[in-house]
Amino acid sequence: MLLNTTFPLSVNFDRPEDFLIFIFHILFATSAVLVAGSVVIGISSNRSLRGQNRFIFMLNTSISDTLTGFSVYYLGLFDVQEGYPSRNGTFYILPSFLGVNVLTFLFAQFDRYLAVCHPFFYNRYITRPAVISVCGFCWIYTYLTLTMQNLVPISKAAQINAFGVMTLQVIVLIKVVMTVKLYIIARGQLVREAPSADWASKTESLRIIVIVVICFLALWGPSFINIIVRQLTGKGLRFRNEATNLFATMARMNALFTPALYIWGSPALRGAVWRAVWRRVCPWRRGRF
């Protein structure tokens, strides 16, 4: 089926599953935009949350997740294939939102490690401007690399892409090690501390980052492994387009699950989102969010 006889949709609507795929992407994109967008508004409108480093990292990933949700309206509804060669592609501009989150989660893990294990160093050097600069670096590095990749010949671009995949392998390995390390800290060091407001904040933040990273790696891992297999062996699974790419869809689902886990794991954020967004959308609901 063609849109205006020139731009093809992602499915042909000649099978029942085509309708399910198309409807799924509409519902998923809308849900991701609403949930991630509400987190962006909730943190941005609350001075107390904006003053905490961990919520700055949440804000950064939620902005990326909101944009990922909007991107699904294109990647999921139209016949798009990113790669070399591409078809109706975006030069990897839209899929690279996930790359921003990969880097942000890595820095967020180091942030929580320093906050718990080296509090004096953390309070002196890891300031709010420093965290904002790190979040900005995640965007600049990702899209500067992408710009270089799009400006050079395809052969050189493929080499840069391969280097990027190797870099991601190292980052993923570090993320796994840091996740295990933070889990051990949560189970050991914090258990021995006396309960307090600071203790509760550290426990909550560690729990959120560990669960979010595990979920992120679980959803993103199959796509990452398939890309590596295809580059190393020339095999692996290939799909007709981005909409029918099960692995890419799983990776993009982080745009919904990550902000949802933020809301679930943080009562302060949950209250801010309710007051800033959903209480105004649903004025007849007077109960607490």
Side-chain angles (χ1 to χ4, degrees), residues 76-220:
L77 303 185
F78 297 98
D79 184 30
V80 179
Q81 182 65 59
E82 300 281 5
Y84 302 100
S86 66
R87 185 175 65 255
N88 301 321
T90 65
F91 303 101
Y92 280 108
I93 293 175
L94 299 185
S96 293
F97 292 135
L98 285 174
V100 175
N101 278 6
V102 170
L103 290 176
T104 303
F105 285 139
L106 178 63
F107 287 118
Q109 287 179 296
F110 281 109
D111 174 83
R112 289 300 87 199
Y113 171 77
L114 292 174
V116 174
C117 296
H118 305 281
F120 296 106
F121 174 87
Y122 183 84
N123 292 330
R124 183 172 182 180
Y125 294 105
I126 311 302
T127 61
R128 183 169 176 267
V131 172
I132 294 175
S133 299
V134 166
C135 290
F137 168 79
C138 295
W139 290 89
I140 293 172
Y141 174 82
T142 299
Y143 283 96
L144 181 60
T145 304
L146 183 63
T147 301
M148 294 172 55
Q149 185 173 317
N150 288 327
L151 292 178
V152 299
I154 294 181
S155 59
K156 182 63 69 173
Q159 294 178 3
I160 296 176
N161 186 59
F163 175 77
V165 172
M166 291 175 58
T167 303
L168 284 177
Q169 293 181 40
V170 176
I171 292 176
V172 168
L173 178 61
I174 296 174
K175 287 169 69 67
V176 171
V177 173
M178 287 301 299
T179 300
V180 174
K181 180 68 174 178
L182 291 175
Y183 176 78
I184 294 174
I185 292 172
R187 295 282 295 180
Q189 179 173 329
L190 290 180
V191 171
R192 295 192 297 269
E193 293 186 8
S196 63
D198 184 60
W199 175 87
S201 176
K202 289 179 179 179
T203 303
E204 174 191 303
S205 62
L206 282 176
R207 182 177 67 248
I208 291 175
I209 191 62
V210 168
I211 295 176
V212 165
V213 170
I214 290 174
C215 180
F216 183 87
L217 292 176
L219 291 174
W220 184 66

Side-chain angles (χ1 to χ4, degrees), residues 248-264:
T249 299
M250 288 177 60
R252 286 192 291 268
M253 286 182 68
N254 278 296
L256 175 59
F257 281 94
T258 298
L261 288 172
Y262 288 160
I263 295 173
W264 166 78

